[in-house]
Amino acid sequence: MDTQIETLRSMIRDSDNIVFFGGAGVSTESGIPDFRSTSGLYNQRYEHPPETMLSHGFFMNNTSEFYRFYRDKMVHLDAKPNAAHFKLAELESDGKLKAVVTQNIDNLHQTAGSRCVYELHGSVYRNFCMRCGKPYPVESIMTDSRDVPRCSCTGIIKPDVVLYDEPLDQKVMEDAALAIKDADVLIVGGTSLNVYPAAGLLRHYRGGKLILINKSELPHEGDAALVIRGSIGEVLRQV
């Protein structure tokens, strides 16, 4: 892996237009479980499958049960940024990284110092009233209510996260696609590239320096200039 790390260092050193695309694997080293690994949420047993409980229909029809699962499994207020988050923020500060495109909803990139972050699936830190649109902090969900959180207008407060059967924010998708299209180097890490439409953003990349960093095999490896098997935090810590 030493040769691969040196190649990665060289590619980063020679570029000032890098975009990073990441998923759940970026945050597992901060103690946040992923979804599809053997210990992930989708392989744990609940009365309903997690995919069902995280759907728009379930939220609307079983709101109280949705919030019991959401508070227990989806919000991790004690999580701290790890080496990957900090290295990406450092690269942005150095003028090399232009954007982070993330499927995560935990705000850890911003906490580490990243400023240009496209959150494809929203954020647990943003919440809003479904009736009047009033914004609410995460504490309104986690500490100010034990059941279904409600606005002062009595409307239900909903997390600003994309549930199954809900569309992604079109503006965020367009901005992320443009950043990827214009990138010289595209680093993809900590994601299975199995979640669409987010994973489809890679088709916008026009450069010849695609870097894939993941513990397991990924699609597009035949198109990559560099493939590194390993955790994103451990790899970026060496850059």
mmCIF file with all atom_site columns, all heavy atoms in Angstrom, residues 5 8 12 20-21 187-191 211-216 218 221 226-236 239:
data_model
loop_
_atom_site.group_PDB
_atom_site.id
_atom_site.type_symbol
_atom_site.label_atom_id
_atom_site.label_alt_id
_atom_site.label_comp_id
_atom_site.label_asym_id
_atom_site.label_entity_id
_atom_site.label_seq_id
_atom_site.pdbx_PDB_ins_code
_atom_site.Cartn_x
_atom_site.Cartn_y
_atom_site.Cartn_z
_atom_site.occupancy
_atom_site.B_iso_or_equiv
_atom_site.pdbx_formal_charge
_atom_site.auth_seq_id
_atom_site.auth_comp_id
_atom_site.auth_asym_id
_atom_site.auth_atom_id
_atom_site.pdbx_PDB_model_num
ATOM 1   N N   . ILE A 1 5   ? -0.136  4.865  -1.584  1.00 0.00 ? 5   ILE A N   1
ATOM 2   C CA  . ILE A 1 5   ? -0.230  6.088  -0.787  1.00 0.00 ? 5   ILE A CA  1
ATOM 3   C C   . ILE A 1 5   ? 0.636   7.186  -1.397  1.00 0.00 ? 5   ILE A C   1
ATOM 4   O O   . ILE A 1 5   ? 0.222   8.352  -1.488  1.00 0.00 ? 5   ILE A O   1
ATOM 5   C CB  . ILE A 1 5   ? 0.176   5.843  0.674   1.00 0.00 ? 5   ILE A CB  1
ATOM 6   C CG1 . ILE A 1 5   ? -0.802  4.883  1.362   1.00 0.00 ? 5   ILE A CG1 1
ATOM 7   C CG2 . ILE A 1 5   ? 0.258   7.156  1.435   1.00 0.00 ? 5   ILE A CG2 1
ATOM 8   C CD1 . ILE A 1 5   ? -2.212  5.429  1.493   1.00 0.00 ? 5   ILE A CD1 1
ATOM 9   N N   . LEU A 1 8   ? -1.134  8.531  -4.357  1.00 0.00 ? 8   LEU A N   1
ATOM 10  C CA  . LEU A 1 8   ? -2.226  9.401  -3.907  1.00 0.00 ? 8   LEU A CA  1
ATOM 11  C C   . LEU A 1 8   ? -1.686  10.765 -3.485  1.00 0.00 ? 8   LEU A C   1
ATOM 12  O O   . LEU A 1 8   ? -2.239  11.805 -3.861  1.00 0.00 ? 8   LEU A O   1
ATOM 13  C CB  . LEU A 1 8   ? -2.968  8.745  -2.747  1.00 0.00 ? 8   LEU A CB  1
ATOM 14  C CG  . LEU A 1 8   ? -4.097  9.570  -2.101  1.00 0.00 ? 8   LEU A CG  1
ATOM 15  C CD1 . LEU A 1 8   ? -5.181  9.903  -3.110  1.00 0.00 ? 8   LEU A CD1 1
ATOM 16  C CD2 . LEU A 1 8   ? -4.684  8.816  -0.906  1.00 0.00 ? 8   LEU A CD2 1
ATOM 17  N N   . ILE A 1 12  ? -2.660  14.365 -5.305  1.00 0.00 ? 12  ILE A N   1
ATOM 18  C CA  . ILE A 1 12  ? -3.205  15.486 -4.536  1.00 0.00 ? 12  ILE A CA  1
ATOM 19  C C   . ILE A 1 12  ? -2.283  16.697 -4.627  1.00 0.00 ? 12  ILE A C   1
ATOM 20  O O   . ILE A 1 12  ? -2.736  17.835 -4.792  1.00 0.00 ? 12  ILE A O   1
ATOM 21  C CB  . ILE A 1 12  ? -3.416  15.066 -3.066  1.00 0.00 ? 12  ILE A CB  1
ATOM 22  C CG1 . ILE A 1 12  ? -4.571  14.055 -2.966  1.00 0.00 ? 12  ILE A CG1 1
ATOM 23  C CG2 . ILE A 1 12  ? -3.680  16.278 -2.182  1.00 0.00 ? 12  ILE A CG2 1
ATOM 24  C CD1 . ILE A 1 12  ? -4.773  13.484 -1.581  1.00 0.00 ? 12  ILE A CD1 1
ATOM 25  N N   . PHE A 1 20  ? -14.342 15.463 -3.354  1.00 0.00 ? 20  PHE A N   1
ATOM 26  C CA  . PHE A 1 20  ? -14.468 14.203 -2.613  1.00 0.00 ? 20  PHE A CA  1
ATOM 27  C C   . PHE A 1 20  ? -15.924 13.782 -2.580  1.00 0.00 ? 20  PHE A C   1
ATOM 28  O O   . PHE A 1 20  ? -16.809 14.587 -2.279  1.00 0.00 ? 20  PHE A O   1
ATOM 29  C CB  . PHE A 1 20  ? -13.951 14.352 -1.184  1.00 0.00 ? 20  PHE A CB  1
ATOM 30  C CG  . PHE A 1 20  ? -14.133 13.097 -0.352  1.00 0.00 ? 20  PHE A CG  1
ATOM 31  C CD1 . PHE A 1 20  ? -13.225 12.059 -0.453  1.00 0.00 ? 20  PHE A CD1 1
ATOM 32  C CD2 . PHE A 1 20  ? -15.217 12.964 0.510   1.00 0.00 ? 20  PHE A CD2 1
ATOM 33  C CE1 . PHE A 1 20  ? -13.396 10.890 0.290   1.00 0.00 ? 20  PHE A CE1 1
ATOM 34  C CE2 . PHE A 1 20  ? -15.395 11.800 1.247   1.00 0.00 ? 20  PHE A CE2 1
ATOM 35  C CZ  . PHE A 1 20  ? -14.480 10.767 1.138   1.00 0.00 ? 20  PHE A CZ  1
ATOM 36  N N   . PHE A 1 21  ? -16.181 12.514 -2.885  1.00 0.00 ? 21  PHE A N   1
ATOM 37  C CA  . PHE A 1 21  ? -17.525 11.942 -2.818  1.00 0.00 ? 21  PHE A CA  1
ATOM 38  C C   . PHE A 1 21  ? -17.496 10.804 -1.800  1.00 0.00 ? 21  PHE A C   1
ATOM 39  O O   . PHE A 1 21  ? -16.739 9.842  -1.969  1.00 0.00 ? 21  PHE A O   1
ATOM 40  C CB  . PHE A 1 21  ? -17.944 11.419 -4.190  1.00 0.00 ? 21  PHE A CB  1
ATOM 41  C CG  . PHE A 1 21  ? -19.331 10.814 -4.232  1.00 0.00 ? 21  PHE A CG  1
ATOM 42  C CD1 . PHE A 1 21  ? -20.418 11.565 -4.652  1.00 0.00 ? 21  PHE A CD1 1
ATOM 43  C CD2 . PHE A 1 21  ? -19.544 9.499  -3.847  1.00 0.00 ? 21  PHE A CD2 1
ATOM 44  C CE1 . PHE A 1 21  ? -21.693 11.010 -4.692  1.00 0.00 ? 21  PHE A CE1 1
ATOM 45  C CE2 . PHE A 1 21  ? -20.806 8.937  -3.884  1.00 0.00 ? 21  PHE A CE2 1
ATOM 46  C CZ  . PHE A 1 21  ? -21.889 9.697  -4.306  1.00 0.00 ? 21  PHE A CZ  1
ATOM 47  N N   . ILE A 1 187 ? -12.021 11.966 -5.726  1.00 0.00 ? 187 ILE A N   1
ATOM 48  C CA  . ILE A 1 187 ? -11.741 10.925 -4.741  1.00 0.00 ? 187 ILE A CA  1
ATOM 49  C C   . ILE A 1 187 ? -13.071 10.400 -4.221  1.00 0.00 ? 187 ILE A C   1
ATOM 50  O O   . ILE A 1 187 ? -13.897 11.154 -3.706  1.00 0.00 ? 187 ILE A O   1
ATOM 51  C CB  . ILE A 1 187 ? -10.900 11.469 -3.574  1.00 0.00 ? 187 ILE A CB  1
ATOM 52  C CG1 . ILE A 1 187 ? -9.583  12.065 -4.079  1.00 0.00 ? 187 ILE A CG1 1
ATOM 53  C CG2 . ILE A 1 187 ? -10.633 10.363 -2.555  1.00 0.00 ? 187 ILE A CG2 1
ATOM 54  C CD1 . ILE A 1 187 ? -8.754  12.741 -2.982  1.00 0.00 ? 187 ILE A CD1 1
ATOM 55  N N   . VAL A 1 188 ? -13.272 9.101  -4.345  1.00 0.00 ? 188 VAL A N   1
ATOM 56  C CA  . VAL A 1 188 ? -14.479 8.447  -3.847  1.00 0.00 ? 188 VAL A CA  1
ATOM 57  C C   . VAL A 1 188 ? -14.072 7.537  -2.703  1.00 0.00 ? 188 VAL A C   1
ATOM 58  O O   . VAL A 1 188 ? -13.199 6.679  -2.862  1.00 0.00 ? 188 VAL A O   1
ATOM 59  C CB  . VAL A 1 188 ? -15.169 7.630  -4.957  1.00 0.00 ? 188 VAL A CB  1
ATOM 60  C CG1 . VAL A 1 188 ? -16.390 6.899  -4.409  1.00 0.00 ? 188 VAL A CG1 1
ATOM 61  C CG2 . VAL A 1 188 ? -15.559 8.538  -6.122  1.00 0.00 ? 188 VAL A CG2 1
ATOM 62  N N   . GLY A 1 189 ? -14.691 7.714  -1.533  1.00 0.00 ? 189 GLY A N   1
ATOM 63  C CA  . GLY A 1 189 ? -14.286 6.908  -0.387  1.00 0.00 ? 189 GLY A CA  1
ATOM 64  C C   . GLY A 1 189 ? -15.413 6.632  0.577   1.00 0.00 ? 189 GLY A C   1
ATOM 65  O O   . GLY A 1 189 ? -16.306 7.453  0.767   1.00 0.00 ? 189 GLY A O   1
ATOM 66  N N   . GLY A 1 190 ? -15.363 5.440  1.176   1.00 0.00 ? 190 GLY A N   1
ATOM 67  C CA  . GLY A 1 190 ? -16.321 5.110  2.224   1.00 0.00 ? 190 GLY A CA  1
ATOM 68  C C   . GLY A 1 190 ? -17.742 4.961  1.740   1.00 0.00 ? 190 GLY A C   1
ATOM 69  O O   . GLY A 1 190 ? -18.680 5.255  2.475   1.00 0.00 ? 190 GLY A O   1
ATOM 70  N N   . THR A 1 191 ? -17.927 4.511  0.518   1.00 0.00 ? 191 THR A N   1
ATOM 71  C CA  . THR A 1 191 ? -19.273 4.322  -0.023  1.00 0.00 ? 191 THR A CA  1
ATOM 72  C C   . THR A 1 191 ? -19.298 3.093  -0.911  1.00 0.00 ? 191 THR A C   1
ATOM 73  O O   . THR A 1 191 ? -18.321 2.788  -1.602  1.00 0.00 ? 191 THR A O   1
ATOM 74  C CB  . THR A 1 191 ? -19.736 5.551  -0.828  1.00 0.00 ? 191 THR A CB  1
ATOM 75  O OG1 . THR A 1 191 ? -20.998 5.265  -1.441  1.00 0.00 ? 191 THR A OG1 1
ATOM 76  C CG2 . THR A 1 191 ? -18.728 5.936  -1.894  1.00 0.00 ? 191 THR A CG2 1
ATOM 77  N N   . ILE A 1 211 ? -10.098 8.293  -8.142  1.00 0.00 ? 211 ILE A N   1
ATOM 78  C CA  . ILE A 1 211 ? -9.454  7.550  -7.064  1.00 0.00 ? 211 ILE A CA  1
ATOM 79  C C   . ILE A 1 211 ? -10.536 6.900  -6.221  1.00 0.00 ? 211 ILE A C   1
ATOM 80  O O   . ILE A 1 211 ? -11.448 7.574  -5.732  1.00 0.00 ? 211 ILE A O   1
ATOM 81  C CB  . ILE A 1 211 ? -8.595  8.484  -6.188  1.00 0.00 ? 211 ILE A CB  1
ATOM 82  C CG1 . ILE A 1 211 ? -7.508  9.160  -7.031  1.00 0.00 ? 211 ILE A CG1 1
ATOM 83  C CG2 . ILE A 1 211 ? -7.978  7.720  -5.027  1.00 0.00 ? 211 ILE A CG2 1
ATOM 84  C CD1 . ILE A 1 211 ? -6.806  10.303 -6.296  1.00 0.00 ? 211 ILE A CD1 1
ATOM 85  N N   . LEU A 1 212 ? -10.453 5.580  -6.039  1.00 0.00 ? 212 LEU A N   1
ATOM 86  C CA  . LEU A 1 212 ? -11.422 4.842  -5.237  1.00 0.00 ? 212 LEU A CA  1
ATOM 87  C C   . LEU A 1 212 ? -10.741 4.300  -3.992  1.00 0.00 ? 212 LEU A C   1
ATOM 88  O O   . LEU A 1 212 ? -9.737  3.581  -4.087  1.00 0.00 ? 212 LEU A O   1
ATOM 89  C CB  . LEU A 1 212 ? -12.012 3.689  -6.049  1.00 0.00 ? 212 LEU A CB  1
ATOM 90  C CG  . LEU A 1 212 ? -12.741 4.060  -7.348  1.00 0.00 ? 212 LEU A CG  1
ATOM 91  C CD1 . LEU A 1 212 ? -13.239 2.801  -8.049  1.00 0.00 ? 212 LEU A CD1 1
ATOM 92  C CD2 . LEU A 1 212 ? -13.907 5.005  -7.068  1.00 0.00 ? 212 LEU A CD2 1
ATOM 93  N N   . ILE A 1 213 ? -11.288 4.646  -2.833  1.00 0.00 ? 213 ILE A N   1
ATOM 94  C CA  . ILE A 1 213 ? -10.736 4.184  -1.554  1.00 0.00 ? 213 ILE A CA  1
ATOM 95  C C   . ILE A 1 213 ? -11.872 3.533  -0.774  1.00 0.00 ? 213 ILE A C   1
ATOM 96  O O   . ILE A 1 213 ? -12.841 4.187  -0.392  1.00 0.00 ? 213 ILE A O   1
ATOM 97  C CB  . ILE A 1 213 ? -10.153 5.350  -0.735  1.00 0.00 ? 213 ILE A CB  1
ATOM 98  C CG1 . ILE A 1 213 ? -9.105  6.106  -1.544  1.00 0.00 ? 213 ILE A CG1 1
ATOM 99  C CG2 . ILE A 1 213 ? -9.545  4.834  0.568   1.00 0.00 ? 213 ILE A CG2 1
ATOM 100 C CD1 . ILE A 1 213 ? -8.652  7.422  -0.897  1.00 0.00 ? 213 ILE A CD1 1
ATOM 101 N N   . ASN A 1 214 ? -11.761 2.243  -0.533  1.00 0.00 ? 214 ASN A N   1
ATOM 102 C CA  . ASN A 1 214 ? -12.831 1.534  0.166   1.00 0.00 ? 214 ASN A CA  1
ATOM 103 C C   . ASN A 1 214 ? -12.299 0.196  0.672   1.00 0.00 ? 214 ASN A C   1
ATOM 104 O O   . ASN A 1 214 ? -11.334 -0.349 0.132   1.00 0.00 ? 214 ASN A O   1
ATOM 105 C CB  . ASN A 1 214 ? -14.021 1.296  -0.770  1.00 0.00 ? 214 ASN A CB  1
ATOM 106 C CG  . ASN A 1 214 ? -15.318 1.072  -0.006  1.00 0.00 ? 214 ASN A CG  1
ATOM 107 O OD1 . ASN A 1 214 ? -15.673 1.869  0.856   1.00 0.00 ? 214 ASN A OD1 1
ATOM 108 N ND2 . ASN A 1 214 ? -16.025 -0.003 -0.321  1.00 0.00 ? 214 ASN A ND2 1
ATOM 109 N N   . LYS A 1 215 ? -12.943 -0.343 1.695   1.00 0.00 ? 215 LYS A N   1
ATOM 110 C CA  . LYS A 1 215 ? -12.512 -1.624 2.233   1.00 0.00 ? 215 LYS A CA  1
ATOM 111 C C   . LYS A 1 215 ? -12.858 -2.777 1.309   1.00 0.00 ? 215 LYS A C   1
ATOM 112 O O   . LYS A 1 215 ? -12.179 -3.797 1.296   1.00 0.00 ? 215 LYS A O   1
ATOM 113 C CB  . LYS A 1 215 ? -13.152 -1.853 3.608   1.00 0.00 ? 215 LYS A CB  1
ATOM 114 C CG  . LYS A 1 215 ? -12.634 -0.940 4.701   1.00 0.00 ? 215 LYS A CG  1
ATOM 115 C CD  . LYS A 1 215 ? -13.311 -1.261 6.028   1.00 0.00 ? 215 LYS A CD  1
ATOM 116 C CE  . LYS A 1 215 ? -12.778 -0.390 7.142   1.00 0.00 ? 215 LYS A CE  1
ATOM 117 N NZ  . LYS A 1 215 ? -13.447 -0.677 8.439   1.00 0.00 ? 215 LYS A NZ  1
ATOM 118 N N   . SER A 1 216 ? -13.948 -2.643 0.570   1.00 0.00 ? 216 SER A N   1
ATOM 119 C CA  . SER A 1 216 ? -14.398 -3.710 -0.322  1.00 0.00 ? 216 SER A CA  1
ATOM 120 C C   . SER A 1 216 ? -14.416 -3.225 -1.763  1.00 0.00 ? 216 SER A C   1
ATOM 121 O O   . SER A 1 216 ? -14.275 -2.032 -2.043  1.00 0.00 ? 216 SER A O   1
ATOM 122 C CB  . SER A 1 216 ? -15.799 -4.192 0.085   1.00 0.00 ? 216 SER A CB  1
ATOM 123 O OG  . SER A 1 216 ? -16.717 -3.111 0.086   1.00 0.00 ? 216 SER A OG  1
ATOM 124 N N   . LEU A 1 218 ? -15.479 -2.020 -5.428  1.00 0.00 ? 218 LEU A N   1
ATOM 125 C CA  . LEU A 1 218 ? -16.461 -1.024 -5.850  1.00 0.00 ? 218 LEU A CA  1
ATOM 126 C C   . LEU A 1 218 ? -16.714 -1.108 -7.351  1.00 0.00 ? 218 LEU A C   1
ATOM 127 O O   . LEU A 1 218 ? -15.840 -1.549 -8.111  1.00 0.00 ? 218 LEU A O   1
ATOM 128 C CB  . LEU A 1 218 ? -15.966 0.396  -5.531  1.00 0.00 ? 218 LEU A CB  1
ATOM 129 C CG  . LEU A 1 218 ? -15.874 0.811  -4.074  1.00 0.00 ? 218 LEU A CG  1
ATOM 130 C CD1 . LEU A 1 218 ? -15.284 2.209  -3.984  1.00 0.00 ? 218 LEU A CD1 1
ATOM 131 C CD2 . LEU A 1 218 ? -17.247 0.773  -3.406  1.00 0.00 ? 218 LEU A CD2 1
ATOM 132 N N   . GLU A 1 221 ? -14.144 0.343  -10.813 1.00 0.00 ? 221 GLU A N   1
ATOM 133 C CA  . GLU A 1 221 ? -12.707 0.173  -10.564 1.00 0.00 ? 221 GLU A CA  1
ATOM 134 C C   . GLU A 1 221 ? -11.915 0.087  -11.866 1.00 0.00 ? 221 GLU A C   1
ATOM 135 O O   . GLU A 1 221 ? -10.759 0.504  -11.921 1.00 0.00 ? 221 GLU A O   1
ATOM 136 C CB  . GLU A 1 221 ? -12.454 -1.050 -9.681  1.00 0.00 ? 221 GLU A CB  1
ATOM 137 C CG  . GLU A 1 221 ? -12.911 -0.838 -8.240  1.00 0.00 ? 221 GLU A CG  1
ATOM 138 C CD  . GLU A 1 221 ? -12.395 -1.904 -7.299  1.00 0.00 ? 221 GLU A CD  1
ATOM 139 O OE1 . GLU A 1 221 ? -11.718 -2.856 -7.762  1.00 0.00 ? 221 GLU A OE1 1
ATOM 140 O OE2 . GLU A 1 221 ? -12.668 -1.782 -6.079  1.00 0.00 ? 221 GLU A OE2 1
ATOM 141 N N   . LEU A 1 226 ? -6.582  5.018  -9.678  1.00 0.00 ? 226 LEU A N   1
ATOM 142 C CA  . LEU A 1 226 ? -5.971  4.486  -8.463  1.00 0.00 ? 226 LEU A CA  1
ATOM 143 C C   . LEU A 1 226 ? -7.064  3.857  -7.609  1.00 0.00 ? 226 LEU A C   1
ATOM 144 O O   . LEU A 1 226 ? -8.111  4.463  -7.383  1.00 0.00 ? 226 LEU A O   1
ATOM 145 C CB  . LEU A 1 226 ? -5.277  5.603  -7.678  1.00 0.00 ? 226 LEU A CB  1
ATOM 146 C CG  . LEU A 1 226 ? -4.622  5.237  -6.349  1.00 0.00 ? 226 LEU A CG  1
ATOM 147 C CD1 . LEU A 1 226 ? -3.472  4.253  -6.570  1.00 0.00 ? 226 LEU A CD1 1
ATOM 148 C CD2 . LEU A 1 226 ? -4.115  6.487  -5.627  1.00 0.00 ? 226 LEU A CD2 1
ATOM 149 N N   . VAL A 1 227 ? -6.810  2.632  -7.152  1.00 0.00 ? 227 VAL A N   1
ATOM 150 C CA  . VAL A 1 227 ? -7.721  1.931  -6.250  1.00 0.00 ? 227 VAL A CA  1
ATOM 151 C C   . VAL A 1 227 ? -6.945  1.540  -5.004  1.00 0.00 ? 227 VAL A C   1
ATOM 152 O O   . VAL A 1 227 ? -5.883  0.904  -5.096  1.00 0.00 ? 227 VAL A O   1
ATOM 153 C CB  . VAL A 1 227 ? -8.323  0.675  -6.906  1.00 0.00 ? 227 VAL A CB  1
ATOM 154 C CG1 . VAL A 1 227 ? -9.221  -0.068 -5.914  1.00 0.00 ? 227 VAL A CG1 1
ATOM 155 C CG2 . VAL A 1 227 ? -9.108  1.043  -8.159  1.00 0.00 ? 227 VAL A CG2 1
ATOM 156 N N   . ILE A 1 228 ? -7.456  1.922  -3.842  1.00 0.00 ? 228 ILE A N   1
ATOM 157 C CA  . ILE A 1 228 ? -6.809  1.587  -2.579  1.00 0.00 ? 228 ILE A CA  1
ATOM 158 C C   . ILE A 1 228 ? -7.816  0.859  -1.694  1.00 0.00 ? 228 ILE A C   1
ATOM 159 O O   . ILE A 1 228 ? -8.902  1.380  -1.429  1.00 0.00 ? 228 ILE A O   1
ATOM 160 C CB  . ILE A 1 228 ? -6.295  2.840  -1.844  1.00 0.00 ? 228 ILE A CB  1
ATOM 161 C CG1 . ILE A 1 228 ? -5.282  3.592  -2.717  1.00 0.00 ? 228 ILE A CG1 1
ATOM 162 C CG2 . ILE A 1 228 ? -5.661  2.448  -0.512  1.00 0.00 ? 228 ILE A CG2 1
ATOM 163 C CD1 . ILE A 1 228 ? -4.757  4.873  -2.074  1.00 0.00 ? 228 ILE A CD1 1
ATOM 164 N N   . ARG A 1 229 ? -7.454  -0.346 -1.253  1.00 0.00 ? 229 ARG A N   1
ATOM 165 C CA  . ARG A 1 229 ? -8.279  -1.098 -0.331  1.00 0.00 ? 229 ARG A CA  1
ATOM 166 C C   . ARG A 1 229 ? -7.914  -0.695 1.102   1.00 0.00 ? 229 ARG A C   1
ATOM 167 O O   . ARG A 1 229 ? -6.786  -0.913 1.546   1.00 0.00 ? 229 ARG A O   1
ATOM 168 C CB  . ARG A 1 229 ? -8.051  -2.595 -0.489  1.00 0.00 ? 229 ARG A CB  1
ATOM 169 C CG  . ARG A 1 229 ? -8.569  -3.168 -1.777  1.00 0.00 ? 229 ARG A CG  1
ATOM 170 C CD  . ARG A 1 229 ? -10.039 -3.562 -1.674  1.00 0.00 ? 229 ARG A CD  1
ATOM 171 N NE  . ARG A 1 229 ? -10.416 -4.306 -2.872  1.00 0.00 ? 229 ARG A NE  1
ATOM 172 C CZ  . ARG A 1 229 ? -10.841 -3.747 -3.990  1.00 0.00 ? 229 ARG A CZ  1
ATOM 173 N NH1 . ARG A 1 229 ? -10.966 -2.428 -4.053  1.00 0.00 ? 229 ARG A NH1 1
ATOM 174 N NH2 . ARG A 1 229 ? -11.150 -4.480 -5.043  1.00 0.00 ? 229 ARG A NH2 1
ATOM 175 N N   . GLY A 1 230 ? -8.852  -0.125 1.808   1.00 0.00 ? 230 GLY A N   1
ATOM 176 C CA  . GLY A 1 230 ? -8.584  0.280  3.183   1.00 0.00 ? 230 GLY A CA  1
ATOM 177 C C   . GLY A 1 230 ? -9.638  1.273  3.646   1.00 0.00 ? 230 GLY A C   1
ATOM 178 O O   . GLY A 1 230 ? -10.472 1.731  2.865   1.00 0.00 ? 230 GLY A O   1
ATOM 179 N N   . SER A 1 231 ? -9.609  1.573  4.930   1.00 0.00 ? 231 SER A N   1
ATOM 180 C CA  . SER A 1 231 ? -10.566 2.540  5.469   1.00 0.00 ? 231 SER A CA  1
ATOM 181 C C   . SER A 1 231 ? -10.151 3.950  5.048   1.00 0.00 ? 231 SER A C   1
ATOM 182 O O   . SER A 1 231 ? -8.957  4.259  4.981   1.00 0.00 ? 231 SER A O   1
ATOM 183 C CB  . SER A 1 231 ? -10.649 2.453  6.992   1.00 0.00 ? 231 SER A CB  1
ATOM 184 O OG  . SER A 1 231 ? -9.474  2.993  7.580   1.00 0.00 ? 231 SER A OG  1
ATOM 185 N N   . ILE A 1 232 ? -11.114 4.775  4.767   1.00 0.00 ? 232 ILE A N   1
ATOM 186 C CA  . ILE A 1 232 ? -10.831 6.126  4.284   1.00 0.00 ? 232 ILE A CA  1
ATOM 187 C C   . ILE A 1 232 ? -10.039 6.947  5.295   1.00 0.00 ? 232 ILE A C   1
ATOM 188 O O   . ILE A 1 232 ? -9.146  7.717  4.938   1.00 0.00 ? 232 ILE A O   1
ATOM 189 C CB  . ILE A 1 232 ? -12.137 6.844  3.872   1.00 0.00 ? 232 ILE A CB  1
ATOM 190 C CG1 . ILE A 1 232 ? -11.850 8.185  3.222   1.00 0.00 ? 232 ILE A CG1 1
ATOM 191 C CG2 . ILE A 1 232 ? -13.093 6.957  5.037   1.00 0.00 ? 232 ILE A CG2 1
ATOM 192 C CD1 . ILE A 1 232 ? -11.155 8.122  1.904   1.00 0.00 ? 232 ILE A CD1 1
ATOM 193 N N   . GLY A 1 233 ? -10.335 6.756  6.584   1.00 0.00 ? 233 GLY A N   1
ATOM 194 C CA  . GLY A 1 233 ? -9.607  7.487  7.612   1.00 0.00 ? 233 GLY A CA  1
ATOM 195 C C   . GLY A 1 233 ? -8.145  7.107  7.678   1.00 0.00 ? 233 GLY A C   1
ATOM 196 O O   . GLY A 1 233 ? -7.262  7.971  7.733   1.00 0.00 ? 233 GLY A O   1
ATOM 197 N N   . GLU A 1 234 ? -7.879  5.794  7.638   1.00 0.00 ? 234 GLU A N   1
ATOM 198 C CA  . GLU A 1 234 ? -6.504  5.330  7.717   1.00 0.00 ? 234 GLU A CA  1
ATOM 199 C C   . GLU A 1 234 ? -5.699  5.769  6.496   1.00 0.00 ? 234 GLU A C   1
ATOM 200 O O   . GLU A 1 234 ? -4.533  6.111  6.592   1.00 0.00 ? 234 GLU A O   1
ATOM 201 C CB  . GLU A 1 234 ? -6.485  3.798  7.825   1.00 0.00 ? 234 GLU A CB  1
ATOM 202 C CG  . GLU A 1 234 ? -6.870  3.279  9.203   1.00 0.00 ? 234 GLU A CG  1
ATOM 203 C CD  . GLU A 1 234 ? -5.939  3.753  10.291  1.00 0.00 ? 234 GLU A CD  1
ATOM 204 O OE1 . GLU A 1 234 ? -4.711  3.827  10.037  1.00 0.00 ? 234 GLU A OE1 1
ATOM 205 O OE2 . GLU A 1 234 ? -6.419  4.077  11.395  1.00 0.00 ? 234 GLU A OE2 1
ATOM 206 N N   . VAL A 1 235 ? -6.346  5.763  5.327   1.00 0.00 ? 235 VAL A N   1
ATOM 207 C CA  . VAL A 1 235 ? -5.642  6.160  4.114   1.00 0.00 ? 235 VAL A CA  1
ATOM 208 C C   . VAL A 1 235 ? -5.345  7.659  4.126   1.00 0.00 ? 235 VAL A C   1
ATOM 209 O O   . VAL A 1 235 ? -4.215  8.098  3.903   1.00 0.00 ? 235 VAL A O   1
ATOM 210 C CB  . VAL A 1 235 ? -6.473  5.785  2.864   1.00 0.00 ? 235 VAL A CB  1
ATOM 211 C CG1 . VAL A 1 235 ? -5.863  6.413  1.605   1.00 0.00 ? 235 VAL A CG1 1
ATOM 212 C CG2 . VAL A 1 235 ? -6.549  4.273  2.719   1.00 0.00 ? 235 VAL A CG2 1
ATOM 213 N N   . LEU A 1 236 ? -6.355  8.470  4.384   1.00 0.00 ? 236 LEU A N   1
ATOM 214 C CA  . LEU A 1 236 ? -6.150  9.921  4.342   1.00 0.00 ? 236 LEU A CA  1
ATOM 215 C C   . LEU A 1 236 ? -5.247  10.418 5.470   1.00 0.00 ? 236 LEU A C   1
ATOM 216 O O   . LEU A 1 236 ? -4.599  11.450 5.327   1.00 0.00 ? 236 LEU A O   1
ATOM 217 C CB  . LEU A 1 236 ? -7.504  10.649 4.390   1.00 0.00 ? 236 LEU A CB  1
ATOM 218 C CG  . LEU A 1 236 ? -8.385  10.499 3.147   1.00 0.00 ? 236 LEU A CG  1
ATOM 219 C CD1 . LEU A 1 236 ? -9.624  11.382 3.268   1.00 0.00 ? 236 LEU A CD1 1
ATOM 220 C CD2 . LEU A 1 236 ? -7.611  10.859 1.876   1.00 0.00 ? 236 LEU A CD2 1
ATOM 221 N N   . VAL A 1 239 ? -1.783  10.860 4.129   1.00 0.00 ? 239 VAL A N   1
ATOM 222 C CA  . VAL A 1 239 ? -1.537  11.801 3.026   1.00 0.00 ? 239 VAL A CA  1
ATOM 223 C C   . VAL A 1 239 ? -0.849  13.057 3.515   1.00 0.00 ? 239 VAL A C   1
ATOM 224 O O   . VAL A 1 239 ? -1.259  13.622 4.525   1.00 0.00 ? 239 VAL A O   1
ATOM 225 C CB  . VAL A 1 239 ? -2.872  12.142 2.322   1.00 0.00 ? 239 VAL A CB  1
ATOM 226 C CG1 . VAL A 1 239 ? -2.675  13.250 1.306   1.00 0.00 ? 239 VAL A CG1 1
ATOM 227 C CG2 . VAL A 1 239 ? -3.432  10.889 1.657   1.00 0.00 ? 239 VAL A CG2 1
#
